[in-house]
Amino acid sequence: AGRTVTTAELEAHTSAESCWTLIHGVVYDVTTFLKSHPGGASILLKYAGKDSSRPFDASGHPRDIVSKLGLDNLIVGDFVGEKSAGEEEVAKTAVSLPPLDHMVNLFDFEALAKNVLTPEAWDYYSSGADDEITLRENHTAFHRIFFRPRILVDVASVKLSSTILGTPSTLPVYITATALGRLAHPEGETAIVRAAHEQGVVYMLPTLASCTMPEMLGAKAPGQPLFFQLYVNHDRAVTEKLIRQAEVGGCRALFVTVDAPQLGRREKDMRHKFTLGGTAVQSSDDKQGRVERNQGVTRAISQFIDPSLNWSDLAWIRSVTSMPIVLKGVQCGEDAVEAARHGVAGIVCSNHGGRQLDFARSGIEVLAEVMDALRAAGLQDKMEVYVDGGIRRGTDVLKALALGAKAVGIGRPVLYSLATYGQAGIERMLTILRDEMHVGMRLIGCNDVNKLTPAMLSTASLAAHGGPAVSDRLSDTVYQPLPIAKL
């Protein structure tokens, strides 16, 4: 940078007339950038004369964004003062994390992530719609399904591998799309891409990613399979461009989100004003001031979604891609039958992680209804069926497969393991899930995930919404109740 900057010098520039800030050991003079900053001047002025490294990382910016934007002229010099309280807090958190091999279940990552993520990031990731009944029900519903194990089955060798839309996977599990990966970790979605490759599972790239499509595609290994999740834009030209980018980049399936004509009311998130960097797909809207930032992350990143999307639009989507189309967000048997009759390649039984309509049923309960409806219509072999939402144990995966799912999607556990240990955390999380599945298969008396059937389950209580007979203490411990307004 050419010169050094002391603490006293940094702290002398705290106004709109002279605004300096510290990011990862380098001091920047952002005075001339205040008016053009996509996130507005207020966030820069908030950290004027201070260390803004932590909010910079949480915003989702890549470390080299200054150079990428041609703003190296803003560099004042290298910082030589004492570490700020923010830097000390980050260092303390990193040191205080237990060794990775101490993580023995998926709730461990969630418990730690609550203390590592910024309040804004935690509330965005963890929040559900309204009273968060469906958010909690997604996991609770699995506790109303019990196994009917078989004995004297040769389980010396257990097969966990399967295929998803013809794509081989070491597990009947895919990493589903989740927004704003860089709120969890500076590498964001690129770390998820790499972890998926190492574990031999498929990652569904999100429309609302922190990273750009070229960044995500650039992180994949040669021949690595990826899917793409799509929110349909008001502007069909933008949607078509995204679809073509994904297909040219090697994505093998298009998952169209159909449960979100608009994003739900997530009150934990709504209590924040979104001051961080938005999604790559909305960058032009953000620069033109068309992004609502006063009601949390959700409202800020979702205003482009088209609420007019309907069954007739499937013909247009099919006309612009040769990727198989999957509808993500089916919530009843009737719509599953309709989807099959429209010739889609698959559906996901999902309520968007409990983040849309509160009191929507859990994905696992919907799955049971969907499979019954498809069998009744003779359509059970016309498409693949998946489920997501609330999966925290290997036995949850096995229950879904036995009910008829081809594979399951994992979302929040990926973000929580990413936030705490980066790429290695995601890999550890999937390894735990793999081990739980292997043990579960042996104890159920089944040696191949493709041989799991409904006869291995007792589902008499699945549709009874009174809750499990025994409380789930791990889930109860990590759940953070909704806050209420304070004086």
Side-chain angles (χ1 to χ4, degrees):
R3 58 161 289 193
T4 57
V5 180
T6 64
T7 301
E9 285 181 286
L10 174 64
E11 293 176 346
H13 299 270
T14 58
S15 69
E17 288 71 38
S18 182
C19 181
W20 290 13
T21 193
L22 170 64
I23 303 174
H24 295 301
V26 178
V27 176
Y28 297 87
D29 181 351
V30 295
T31 309
T32 58
F33 189 55
L34 291 174
K35 292 183 179 179
S36 56
H37 182 240
S42 60
I43 184 65
L44 295 179
L45 289 170
K46 179 180 178 179
Y47 290 95
K50 302 175 183 176
D51 181 4
S52 58
S53 301
R54 188 160 189 167
F56 176 88
D57 287 342
S59 73
H61 295 316
R63 291 288 182 96
D64 60 351
I65 192 172
V66 173
S67 296
K68 284 184 176 179
L69 295 177
L71 297 174
D72 287 327
N73 60 300
L74 301 182
I75 296 175
V76 178
D78 294 321
F79 184 64
V80 294
E82 296 180 358
K83 282 187 176 181
S84 68
E87 286 181 305
E88 294 287 0
E89 183 181 353
V90 171
K92 181 179 178 182
T93 300
V95 170
S96 63
L97 284 175
L100 181 55
D101 61 6
H102 285 203
M103 301 295 99
V104 299
N105 60 56
L106 273 57
F107 291 106
D108 282 345
F109 295 103
E110 185 170 352
L112 295 179
K114 188 187 303 186
N115 298 300
V116 170
L117 290 165
T118 64
E120 183 177 53
W122 170 257
D123 286 341
Y124 174 65
Y125 285 157
S126 67
S127 61
D130 295 344
D131 296 312
E132 298 188 338
I133 303 299
T134 294
L135 170 73
R136 288 172 282 166
E137 165 67 4
N138 276 348
H139 181 60
T140 298
F142 282 97
H143 304 152
R144 299 196 297 271
I145 302 173
F146 286 80
F147 291 111
R148 301 179 66 248
R150 303 305 300 266
I151 61 171
L152 297 177
V153 177
D154 182 357
V155 289
S157 176
V158 173
K159 180 185 177 186
L160 298 180
S161 61
S162 187
T163 61
I164 306 173
L165 294 172
T167 297
S169 178
T170 63
L171 292 173
V173 171
Y174 61 87
I175 298 177
T176 196
T178 51
L180 297 176
R182 280 190 173 131
L183 290 181
H185 190 277
E187 294 181 357
E189 292 81 9
T190 60
I192 305 176
V193 171
R194 292 191 295 271
H197 171 68
E198 292 297 324
Q199 289 291 309
V201 299
V202 183
Y203 175 37
M204 185 194 304
L205 304 182
T207 293
L208 296 175
S210 295
C211 299
T212 64
M213 182 75 79
E215 285 175 325
M216 292 187 289
L217 294 174
K220 76 184 185 76
Q224 180 181 350
L226 296 169
F227 298 151
F228 179 59
Q229 174 269 333
L230 176 71
Y231 284 114
V232 176
N233 199 303
H234 289 282
D235 186 342
R236 290 295 192 268
V238 173
T239 295
E240 183 174 351
K241 180 181 178 182
L242 276 174
I243 293 172
R244 294 197 187 282
Q245 264 190 308
E247 186 164 5
V248 169
C251 290
R252 300 188 185 183
L254 181 66
F255 284 64
V256 182
T257 295
V258 293
D259 60 2
Q262 77 167 65
L263 296 191
R265 297 183 79 261
R266 306 163 191 175
E267 293 182 8
K268 286 176 183 172
D269 178 44
M270 290 171 68
R271 294 184 185 278
H272 295 275
K273 181 176 179 180
F274 185 51
T275 58
L276 305 177
T279 63
V281 75
Q282 281 187 287
S283 58
S284 61
D285 287 342
D286 210 356
K287 289 175 182 176
Q288 296 173 43
R290 295 201 298 262
V291 172
E292 170 57 57
R293 289 177 167 270
N294 293 318
Q295 294 190 56
V297 179
T298 302
R299 294 291 173 91
I301 67 175
S302 64
Q303 290 166 274
F304 70 92
I305 297 173
D306 186 358
S308 74
L309 184 69
N310 60 79
W311 289 105
S312 65
D313 290 310
L314 291 180
W316 174 79
I317 295 173
R318 191 173 280 114
S319 75
V320 299
T321 184
S322 60
M323 288 186 288
I325 296 169
V326 178
L327 302 186
K328 181 180 182 294
V330 171
Q331 298 178 73
C332 67
E334 295 91 333
D335 281 344
V337 170
E338 188 71 18
R341 288 174 175 161
H342 272 78
V344 300
I347 60 171
V348 184
C349 299
S350 173
N351 55 41
H352 215 98
R355 293 160 74 78
Q356 289 297 91
L357 176 66
D358 208 11
F359 289 94
R361 294 172 301 161
S362 67
I364 194 68
E365 182 180 338
V366 171
L367 172 64
E369 177 183 303
V370 159
M371 296 311 301
D372 286 344
L374 291 174
R375 292 185 189 105
L379 297 170
Q380 69 273 19
D381 297 322
K382 294 293 184 180
M383 63 183 182
E384 294 188 356
V385 179
Y386 319 113
V387 64
D388 67 29
I391 295 163
R392 297 295 184 272
R393 288 286 188 184
T395 48
D396 296 340
V397 179
L398 302 184
K399 290 172 184 179
L401 299 179
L403 281 176
K406 182 67 172 173
V408 307
I410 304 292
R412 286 186 178 93
V414 177
L415 295 172
Y416 297 148
S417 53
L418 173 66
T420 46
Y421 296 95
Q423 177 183 336
I426 301 173
E427 294 184 40
R428 173 66 178 172
M429 182 272 296
L430 289 169
T431 298
I432 291 170
L433 204 62
R434 189 187 306 273
D435 182 59
E436 290 181 346
M437 290 177 63
H438 192 274
V439 172
M441 288 287 289
R442 279 186 163 170
L443 298 180
I444 291 167
C446 184
N447 54 28
D448 186 340
V449 290
N450 298 295
K451 295 179 182 178
L452 290 165
T453 70
M456 296 174 176
L457 302 176
S458 172
T459 58
S461 300
L462 178 55
H465 297 147
V470 180
S471 64
D472 178 1
R473 298 203 178 277
L474 286 178
S475 182
D476 292 345
T477 299
V478 298
Y479 175 69
Q480 180 174 314
L482 283 164
I484 57 175
K486 298 179 181 179
L487 291 175

